[in-house]
Structure formats: C-alpha cells, structure tokens
Amino acid sequence: MLRYVIQRLLMMIPTLLVISALVFVIIQLPPGDYLESHIAELQSQGESVDQEKIAFLRHHYGLDKPLYQQYIYWLVGMLQGDFGYSFEYDLPVSDVVGDRLLLTVLVSVFTIIFTWLIAFPIGLYSATHQYSWGDYGLTLLGFIGLATPNFLLALVMLYLANVWFGTSIGGLMDARYIDQPWSWGKFVSILEHLWIPVIVIGTAGTAGMIRRLRANLLDELQKQYVVTGRAKGLPPFKLLTKYPLRMALNFFIADIGSLLPSVISGAEVTAVVLSLPTTGPMLLGALQSQDMYLAGSFLMFLATLTVIGVLLSDLALAVLDPRIRLQGGNP
Amino acid sequence: MNDARKPGQVGAHYVSDAPFDPGSIEVLSPEQERYFLASQWRLMWWKLKHHRLAIVCAFILLLMYASTLVSEMLAPYDLHSRFSGFIFTPPQRVHLFHEGEFVGPFVYAMNSRLDMENLQRIYTEDTDTLHRLRFFCRGDPYEFWGLFDGDLHLVCPAENGTLFLLGTDRLGRDMLSRIIYGTRISLTIGLIGITISFVLGIVIGGIAGYYGGIIDHVVQRIIEILRSFPELPLWMALSAVLPVNWSPVLIFFGITVILALLDWTGLARAVRSKLLALREEDYCVAAQLMGARPRRIIARHLLPGFFSHLVASATLSIPGMILGETALSFLGLGLRPPVTSWGVLLNEAQNINVVALYPWLMLPVVPVIVVILAFNFFGDGLRDAADPYK
C-alpha cells in the first residue's frame, strides 16, 4: 500500500510540471509583456509611471530574461508561495486571492456530494428497472439537466428565489460577513447561500453519473454469480446489495476523476452569474484585462485542485479495492 | 451375418441418381445471405432503425441543419433589421379567429405607450386592427449565401404591420429571425470543431496505438493531463488570448479550433485501444509481411474496422462543443457580434432584470436544449448500433 501511495505521489510531479508549462505558454501568448501594456494603459490615462517600480518589477519577475528562465522564475516563485504580481489590483497575487480558493474547494466538494446523493438512487433504480417508464423518465430528467446551460439555470434560480423567498441569494454569504475573519456565523451564512450554486452546478454532472452508474451496475447484474444467487433463492434486495452494489460503489469513487473537471468548469461560469466570491469572476476579470499572473495562478490552482482530487479518489479506491492495491497501480 | 460377396464385388444397395449438390446444407436463404454479406454500415443502419428515439432525434437534427441552408428565407426579418419603435416587444400571438369568425392566421397590431413613471414601454394589443400574415412573400432584402440578392420569405408581416413571434430585443430586432440565423453559426461550430478533433484524434491515437512503446506512453500521459484539466477555464484562457483586432470571422475559426484542441483526447483514446487490439490480428500481420507501410495498414486495414464506432463517439462529443461555445459567448469571451450564435444572443440575457421583465430574451436556450438532447440520444443510438457485440 505504501509503495502504491508513493508511486502515485511521484506521478503527480511530472503531471503538475507539464500543466505548469502549459499554463505558462498560455499566459505568455498575448503579444508584449504585462508591464508594457500596463505602462501603456497608465500613460493613456495621463498618469505618471513610476519608472523605478517598473524596473524593480521587471527585474524581480525576470521579464528581461529569455522565456525558459522566466518560466523557471515563475515556477520557483510559486513553490515559495510567490504567485506573481497582479497589475490590475497593484498587489501581490496571493493578497488578491484571499479566501477565494478555499470557497472554490468548498463549492466543489458540496457539489460532488450533491451529485452523488442525486445520481446514486436514480442510477440504482434505472439499472434495476431497466427500460421501465421510471428509467426513461429519470434518465430524461438527468439529460435535461445536462443540456441546460448552467448560467441560465443560475439566472432563473436567482429570480425564483427572489420571488418565492424574497431573499437575494447572489453571493455566497450575507453582506456583513464579506471580508470579515472566519467565524461560526459566517460559516452558517455560507451554508445558507451554498445550496443554489450547488444545485445549479450539480445538475450538469448528474446525467453523466447516472448513465455511467447504470451501465456499470447492469454489467455487474448480468454476471454469473448474480444468476447463481438468484437460482439459490437469495432475496432480490440482498442479491443487489451484497455484491453488485459494492462493486458499483468502487466505481463511484473512481468517477471523481471525470466528475471533478466538469464540476470546476461549471462552477466558474455559475460563479460569474451568481457573483460568488470564488475563483470564477476574478479569473474572468483577469483574463479580460490580461492580468496574466493572476489568471495564471488561478488556472494553475484549478488544475492542481483536479489533480489532487483525482489522487484522493485513487487512494480511496486503493483502500476499498484490493485488486488495485496489489497490482501496484498498473491495471 | 455372413457376407457372401467376393472382394471387389459391388453390393446391391440403392443409390439415388438424382443430381446432388454437396454444399446444399450450407446454402443460405436469401435473408441470411443478405445479412451475412451486408456491409458494416448496412448492419448499423438496420439496428439503428429499431431505435425509435434515435431516429426521431436524427430527424430533428436533420431538419435543423437543413434550416441553416435557407435561414434567410425562413427568417421573417433580416438579422440586423431594427425597429426603434418596438424595443423589448413581448411575443405576438398568432390568432386564427377574430370575434368568432375565421380569418386565417393574423396578429393584432401592437400599440406602445411609454409609462413615464417607471420609464417602461408598455405594449398592448389593438384588437381592432388585424394584420394578416403573408406567406411566400417579398420582405427584407438579403444576400442569399452572399451569392445573389433575394427578398423571398416564408412568412412576412402584413404591409405596415409587425410580426414578432418571439418578441424583440433591446434594439428592436426580431428574436425569431436572430435565433434562426444563430442556428447557422451554433450548429456549424460543432461540425467544424468535431472534424478537426476527429482528424487529430485519429492521427495521434493511430500513431500511439500502432507503434506502442514509448510513443504510446508519452501520448497516454498527455491525454491524461489534458483530461484532468477543467475544460472551461482553459477555453476561457485560450479565447482571451485571441487578438482584439481580429475580424469576427477569424474569431469564429479561432474559437472553433480552441474547442477542438481539447476535445480530441477521447477519440484518440478509443482509436488507440482498438488499434492495440487489432494490430495483432492475422490480416494485419499479413499486410506487414507483404511490405505495406504503417500509414497504409492503419488507414486501409485497421481504421475501417471500427470507423463506425468512432463516428458514434464523435457524435456524442458535439454537444459539449456547442455548450462550450454558448458558455464562452455568454461570458463575452466567445464569438463577437455581428456573428450571431445562440450564445451571443444569450449574452443579452445576462442579468436578473431580463428574467423578470423580458423573459423572451432567454428563448435561445430552447434550441440549445433541443439540440443537445437530440445529439445525445442520437449518439447513444448510434453507439449501440455500431457495437457489434450486443
């Protein structure tokens, strides 16, 4: 087991390296460097440019060096907790980001739990009642969730909550908690606001989950041991829960790998519409104003979040499923 | 019993002298022969025919794609026609009867009044004035596919009348016409995108699967990394990189390529795993021994074996692209006006005021949902039909 964990951890390093290179290339793609466009912008507004500060930043971030050196600077800086400088906010990136990363994690985790809670019973029902009206109806419902663009669902929910409950549900907490230190009240307030984004983001992933769970469970139910069990008179419910369900549960954990990227994608757009204080709106703003260090760190963070999520699901799977653990991760 | 025959003497037993065909047991009935000799595509079609939902969805998609060929004629108005007196008009209803009398399809005239207190335009139906619809009529002039001028429309408003079946937007443009024109862009973006990712998937997956070894290993890792990256933020980042001074058409192609760049991984994986299995087959070894080059073996001998399967998986990844474009355009990072897609239209429906006051601006989402559902169900049916083992 320990060997498997170490192996899996070591595999993360090249993955993250490649991702960081990819992100770096993307943030380098626009012509000119950030300082040049920043200076041009300041001058067009008639503001004076502090040459010393510019020279300091240029030197500090190695913008006068060749590309590969800049990449190494950026990478080493990130490892030391220096994520670069946000030109739009005129602050180091780590000061700008604040709680946003944590809140993104929170939204993602709750969304995955929500997806599980919805998809599991439906997938179970669909597989055991294959080709029934219930199967078709529930599958269709899941598909409609998949087909409805997140952002529109978010808008409609925002409106409905306003009409029905008379509350403004934009944001992720009551206004009085914004920029306040963490407290119990703040946490409760966040939980109260969390359900709308969770439902909105969750609906998109549910259909895929239901479909995969149904297919997996159907495969399992057609195996011979199920037939044997049935022939020997095992009650249908026990027949379902004893082995096939446990097999399907493994897959549930394994599916985080395909669920997480879509949850995070969905969370970004939904957050823009609902103006959640997560990474979404700020990433969009950073991309639009080409504040590339900020955008780069967000991209890097989202990718790392996915990689760690997949790692956790792999480890959980190894604990659950001896076949994986004993093969040393080479299935 | 003692046999009295001498060696070599023929016994007295019955031999039929009717003509005999030794292959008669293996002769196939015409139906069997039709089935056994049918090509893969034919088998797939026979199977697909029984999947009623998939056929219905295919029909819907076909209709929508056909509509993009004649968008100019289907739309009652031109894409850019503005009616400054009819800003944010609610949808007009088509009536058949006026005061209990059959008149044929018509709409009532719209009266607008500015409510000075709320500064809101209020539209009321004037039930005295009837505007009968005209069919196959002359309306807004257009340039058909940029080739020749025309002004024939399927349906137009009465002379001096208006026809806003789905209302108008903030500039007084007819929503129905804009949605019809948007279909053209939204649907093509999926097709072009999938073509690019199809080619990428086959080439990269083909190389990885055929050569195996270290190339395969590298490609596998790249695919894994790309798949672990959340798509939308990456799409957002890439489209933010597109230069501001590009023309809308160039942006259109840029966005398509961006959508395709992240989408080939699924196809490449499918190609690779199939190739790994098939390259051990005898016919492949035979081709190798005869000196065929890898490119020929992959393209002539291996690909046809699972091409139908690939088409099915490709169909299933079109909806993701269409949704991706919609989301990007909604955020303002995707297509730019005057190029009009459903996402660009939805960009107007960005705040809660729209939901409360002008809900018809959200109507472009209906074709989005229909197309996504249709592609999903059709793709599912296609995949089932293409699977030879079920």
Side-chain angles (χ1 to χ4, degrees):
Chain A
M1 184 66 193
L2 188 67
R3 214 183 122 212
Y4 176 71
V5 174
I6 292 172
Q7 221 174 22
R8 235 4 228 91
L9 280 174
L10 285 180
M11 255 172 64
M12 255 177 74
I13 296 172
T15 309
L16 284 176
L17 271 180
V18 174
I19 288 179
S20 71
L22 201 69
V23 169
F24 185 76
V25 169
I26 291 173
I27 65 176
Q28 286 288 349
L29 274 178
D33 68 40
Y34 327 111
L35 288 175
E36 271 169 31
S37 49
H38 182 61
I39 294 167
E41 194 180 318
L42 279 182
Q43 279 171 342
S44 71
Q45 288 165 353
E47 287 178 37
S48 65
V49 182
D50 185 353
Q51 288 297 340
E52 254 179 49
K53 187 177 160 198
I54 296 289
F56 170 75
L57 286 175
R58 187 177 293 268
H59 181 73
H60 185 73
Y61 291 107
L63 291 181
D64 44 0
K65 302 254 169 40
L67 266 187
Y68 72 96
Q69 278 189 13
Q70 285 188 38
Y71 170 64
I72 293 171
Y73 264 77
W74 184 64
L75 198 66
V76 172
M78 271 198 303
L79 289 178
Q80 293 168 344
D82 173 12
F83 289 91
Y85 195 81
S86 163
F87 301 106
E88 201 186 352
Y89 294 88
D90 218 1
L91 283 170
V93 167
S94 41
D95 290 356
V96 179
V97 172
D99 279 347
R100 282 167 191 267
L101 305 186
L102 187 67
L103 289 174
T104 303
V105 176
L106 200 70
V107 171
S108 306
V109 168
F110 273 95
T111 307
I112 286 181
I113 295 174
F114 171 80
T115 313
W116 273 344
L117 288 181
I118 297 292
F120 190 68
I122 294 184
L124 201 64
Y125 181 87
S126 286
T128 46
H129 299 74
Q130 200 189 1
Y131 302 135
S132 69
W133 280 106
D135 176 21
Y136 283 129
L138 290 171
T139 313
L140 184 69
L141 208 65
F143 268 115
I144 291 179
L146 175 86
T148 316
N150 275 332
F151 51 85
L152 214 79
L153 197 60
L155 264 182
V156 174
M157 296 275 274
L158 204 62
Y159 173 70
L160 290 183
N162 214 339
V163 172
W164 289 344
F165 305 114
T167 52
S168 159
I169 50 153
L172 208 51
M173 58 194 91
D174 283 341
R176 62 200 158 100
Y177 290 115
I178 292 174
D179 286 335
Q180 295 301 309
W182 282 88
S183 63
W184 180 247
K186 181 173 177 173
F187 185 68
V188 171
S189 168
I190 287 178
L191 284 188
E192 275 167 8
H193 284 78
L194 201 59
W195 61 277
I196 295 262
V198 162
I199 290 177
V200 170
I201 306 162
T203 46
T206 315
M209 192 97 192
I210 293 175
R211 193 157 52 157
R212 288 188 294 263
L213 178 68
R214 178 175 176 271
N216 251 40
L217 203 55
L218 276 177
D219 277 353
E220 207 59 38
L221 285 175
Q222 277 160 8
K223 287 198 174 155
Q224 289 195 337
Y225 71 87
V226 179
V227 179
T228 313
R230 191 170 293 139
K232 291 174 91 173
L234 209 60
F237 184 72
K238 195 168 182 196
L239 184 65
L240 179 70
T241 47
K242 185 78 182 168
Y243 295 110
L245 196 64
R246 278 168 62 185
M247 295 295 294
L249 270 181
N250 279 355
F251 147 83
F252 238 62
I253 307 282
D255 207 36
I256 291 185
S258 58
L259 192 62
L260 200 56
S262 85
V263 164
I264 290 178
S265 287
E268 294 304 290
V269 189
T270 313
V272 172
V273 177
L274 295 177
S275 57
L276 305 182
T278 59
T279 52
M282 204 176 243
L283 172 64
L284 182 67
L287 286 171
Q288 275 165 342
S289 64
Q290 303 217 326
D291 189 353
M292 282 313 189
Y293 273 128
L294 190 56
S297 353
F298 275 134
L299 286 178
M300 201 55 219
F301 163 72
L302 292 177
T304 314
L305 185 62
T306 337
V307 171
I308 291 178
V310 174
L311 172 80
L312 288 181
S313 88
D314 276 2
L315 292 184
L317 203 61
V319 173
L320 281 175
D321 193 341
R323 289 174 303 182
I324 294 174
R325 170 168 84 226
L326 295 177
Q327 269 173 356
N330 295 313
Chain B
M1 206 202 283
N2 278 332
D3 200 342
R5 266 185 295 156
K6 288 170 189 158
Q9 189 189 359
V10 177
H13 58 267
Y14 173 76
V15 175
S16 165
D17 45 0
F20 174 67
D21 173 15
S24 65
I25 313 166
E26 284 155 28
V27 164
L28 302 170
S29 67
E31 290 107 71
Q32 277 174 320
E33 189 160 2
R34 209 166 68 100
Y35 183 75
F36 285 136
L37 296 181
S39 71
Q40 211 176 355
W41 291 103
R42 193 160 282 268
L43 283 175
M44 198 165 144
W45 166 238
W46 286 339
K47 246 178 144 176
L48 188 65
K49 265 199 306 194
H50 295 294
H51 208 300
R52 220 173 300 154
L53 184 62
I55 292 291
V56 171
C57 287
F59 190 68
I60 293 173
L61 288 176
L62 208 66
L63 273 185
M64 294 195 98
Y65 272 100
S67 87
T68 63
L69 296 177
V70 288
S71 306
E72 285 93 344
M73 288 185 191
L74 289 178
Y77 290 103
D78 185 65
L79 180 59
H80 304 297
S81 306
R82 288 183 188 183
F83 297 87
S84 46
F86 295 94
I87 288 169
F88 289 130
T89 322
Q92 282 179 292
R93 274 183 59 201
V94 176
H95 302 264
L96 287 174
F97 295 92
H98 178 60
E99 289 167 0
E101 208 176 312
F102 181 77
V103 215
F106 70 92
V107 293
Y108 287 117
M110 284 291 214
N111 285 335
S112 71
R113 181 170 61 82
L114 196 60
D115 179 351
M116 285 316 283
E117 206 167 306
N118 299 333
L119 279 181
Q120 193 186 359
R121 281 187 181 75
I122 295 175
Y123 291 92
T124 42
E125 280 193 333
D126 170 13
T127 48
D128 295 328
T129 323
L130 272 61
H131 288 313
R132 295 183 62 170
L133 304 187
R134 298 177 296 152
F135 292 94
F136 296 105
C137 41
R138 312 252 156 223
D140 281 351
Y142 53 79
E143 214 174 293
F144 191 74
W145 281 96
L147 292 178
F148 54 87
D149 297 328
D151 56 1
L152 188 71
H153 292 263
L154 179 66
V155 54
C156 342
E159 308 274 350
N160 311 320
T162 57
L163 177 65
F164 303 124
L165 293 179
L166 300 181
T168 60
D169 65 1
R170 70 188 158 85
L171 294 176
R173 294 174 293 192
D174 178 38
M175 283 303 285
L176 177 64
S177 307
R178 288 175 69 73
I179 292 177
I180 290 176
Y181 275 96
T183 312
R184 187 176 269 174
I185 299 295
S186 284
L187 288 185
T188 14
I189 223 168
L191 274 199
I192 302 178
I194 205 65
T195 316
I196 300 174
S197 80
F198 203 76
V199 172
L200 278 176
I202 287 183
V203 171
I204 299 176
I207 291 172
Y210 187 81
Y211 287 105
I214 187 124
I215 299 179
D216 181 35
H217 206 72
V218 170
V219 170
Q220 281 278 86
R221 285 289 91 73
I222 293 176
I223 289 179
E224 246 166 52
I225 290 169
L226 279 183
R227 283 181 84 96
S228 75
F229 212 114
E231 271 186 337
L232 199 72
L234 204 55
W235 277 339
M236 281 161 69
L238 284 172
S239 38
V241 163
L242 294 182
V244 189
N245 50 7
W246 275 16
S247 71
V249 178
L250 263 181
I251 294 277
F252 170 79
F253 282 108
I255 295 283
T256 322
V257 171
I258 288 171
L259 291 176
L261 270 183
L262 295 185
D263 196 77
W264 55 270
T265 51
L267 280 172
R269 243 186 197 181
V271 173
R272 174 193 163 270
S273 63
K274 291 273 177 189
L275 277 188
L276 276 182
L278 284 179
R279 71 172 181 179
E280 309 297 330
E281 295 279 331
D282 287 344
Y283 67 85
C284 181
V285 179
Q288 264 169 346
L289 291 177
M290 277 185 244
R293 278 165 299 141
R295 209 181 65 194
R296 188 183 161 84
I297 296 181
I298 295 178
R300 291 281 308 191
H301 299 285
L302 295 177
L303 266 187
F306 58 96
F307 198 71
S308 51
H309 192 89
L310 279 188
V311 170
S313 357
T315 316
L316 278 173
S317 59
I318 296 181
M321 288 199 182
I322 294 180
L323 272 181
E325 183 275 322
T326 312
L328 284 180
S329 299
F330 176 80
L331 293 175
L333 288 171
L335 303 179
R336 291 168 200 173
V339 170
T340 305
S341 72
W342 295 330
V344 173
L345 293 179
L346 284 172
N347 186 270
E348 306 257 317
Q350 231 174 6
N351 53 54
I352 194 159
N353 290 342
V354 167
V355 190
L357 298 175
Y358 322 114
W360 56 90
L361 285 189
M362 299 194 305
L363 280 173
V365 82
V366 176
V368 173
I369 296 179
V370 170
V371 164
I372 305 296
L373 284 180
F375 262 120
N376 265 309
F377 290 134
F378 175 58
D380 260 359
L382 210 57
R383 190 172 51 182
D384 284 351
D387 193 347
Y389 304 110
K390 268 190 183 161

